[in-house]
Amino acid sequence: MSKGFQFKQFSVEDNGCGMPVSTDGVLLGAWANVAKDDAVLDIGTGTGLLSLMLAQRALGAKIMAVDIDQHAAETAALNAAASPWADRITVVQQDVTEWGTSARFNTIICNPPYFNSGEQANDARRATARHTDTLSHAMLLKVINARLLPTGQAHLILPSVEADKLIASAEAHHLVCLRITEVKSTPDKPVTRKLITLSPKPALSSSIPSEKILVQHLVIQDKGAYTQDFISLTKDFYLKM
């Protein structure tokens, strides 16, 4: 059954996609750096949520949304076509690791699969979206390095442990971490998600010292209400913010 999610300027139908609309996705789409004329690559677009959010935020950006799953690509294309930015979003059904193009991008955004092990969902689409079998984090870093322009940035969201492992692996793929936002659901809970910005390692440069990485913090709820930081970040999208 199709489930719709209405935002302030667009709507998203999930049509049974493996990765439906989630707080993770909204956080990433609102947090990622994007400029008005960027060429953007959305890896594993799913419903197209991230492409739609960046299209709203950057009114000249041209966005290429890629998904390995045909059903997801069709759903993203329908959502893009129904939006005010249909002329700026192109959806391609493609395994990004085998994509025969030399295109490079200013901005890459991805809400990647994050389970490296454990029991997989019975639904094949959900398993593809949530497990790294079809897109390992090492392969994702390789793709990011190949597709980013020298001054470009890639923005990801991952659970805390997986995020730390990916950041530790980034240098081997000639990438450095510029920015991290640690996300807690409430003040007394541990960090559950990390938003990450990666960029190509400058030529003849050593790693960026950890003290120079911009580390910020975000709490979603406090005392049963959304925090002002969360509202400020997402208010352009959620209807009731």
Side-chain angles (χ1 to χ4, degrees):
M1 180 182 294
S2 175
K3 296 179 181 178
F5 199 103
Q6 183 67 47
F7 291 91
K8 285 182 176 176
Q9 296 190 37
F10 62 89
S11 62
V12 174
E13 299 291 331
D14 76 17
N15 291 330
C17 274
M19 186 62 73
V21 172
S22 67
T23 301
D24 283 7
V26 175
L27 281 174
L28 179 60
W31 179 87
N33 293 331
V34 62
K36 66 176 183 178
D37 295 323
D38 276 0
V40 177
L41 174 61
D42 176 7
I43 297 175
T45 191
T47 61
L49 170 66
L50 294 173
S51 291
L52 291 164
M53 292 182 73
L54 295 197
Q56 176 182 323
R57 292 181 54 207
L59 294 181
K62 298 289 187 180
I63 300 166
M64 180 70 69
V66 178
D67 204 290
I68 193 172
D69 182 75
Q70 181 177 352
H71 181 78
E74 291 171 352
T75 299
L78 289 171
N79 285 327
S83 78
W85 315 290
D87 60 330
R88 295 195 286 111
I89 301 174
T90 301
V91 181
V92 178
Q93 190 263 311
Q94 176 68 55
D95 180 345
V96 73
T97 68
E98 299 177 356
W99 194 18
T101 178
S102 59
R104 287 180 176 251
F105 300 85
N106 308 96
T107 299
I108 293 176
I109 193 164
C110 181
N111 183 1
Y114 51 76
F115 288 126
N116 293 309
S117 61
E119 184 177 353
Q120 296 196 9
N122 291 328
D123 183 278
R125 291 180 187 133
R126 188 156 180 80
T128 297
R130 291 168 62 85
H131 284 261
T132 58
D133 291 1
T134 57
L135 184 62
S136 70
H137 292 165
M139 185 58 71
L140 175 59
L141 290 170
K142 182 177 179 180
V143 169
I144 288 171
N145 180 55
R147 296 296 170 207
L148 267 184
L149 289 166
T151 58
Q153 294 185 351
H155 310 285
L156 317 172
I157 186 168
L158 282 166
S160 184
V161 172
E162 284 77 7
D164 290 342
K165 291 178 180 178
L166 183 138
I167 291 167
S169 302
E171 187 175 359
H173 296 271
H174 310 288
L175 298 166
V176 293
C177 182
L178 302 180
R179 182 171 67 130
I180 301 169
T181 293
E182 299 181 336
V183 181
K184 294 182 175 184
S185 56
T186 60
D188 57 334
K189 295 290 181 62
V191 173
T192 56
R193 295 288 187 269
K194 290 187 179 180
L195 294 149
I196 306 164
T197 295
L198 302 174
S199 188
K201 183 179 177 180
L204 304 178
S205 171
S206 60
S207 300
I208 294 178
S210 59
E211 64 268 18
K212 292 190 177 180
I213 299 172
L214 177 62
V215 179
Q216 299 173 308
H217 307 276
L218 176 67
V219 176
I220 295 176
Q221 288 189 324
D222 188 13
K223 298 177 181 178
Y226 289 123
T227 65
Q228 189 56 53
D229 286 345
F230 181 78
I231 292 170
S232 296
L233 183 63
T234 62
K235 62 183 173 61
D236 289 342
F237 301 100
Y238 281 132
L239 283 175
K240 296 182 180 180
M241 291 295 187

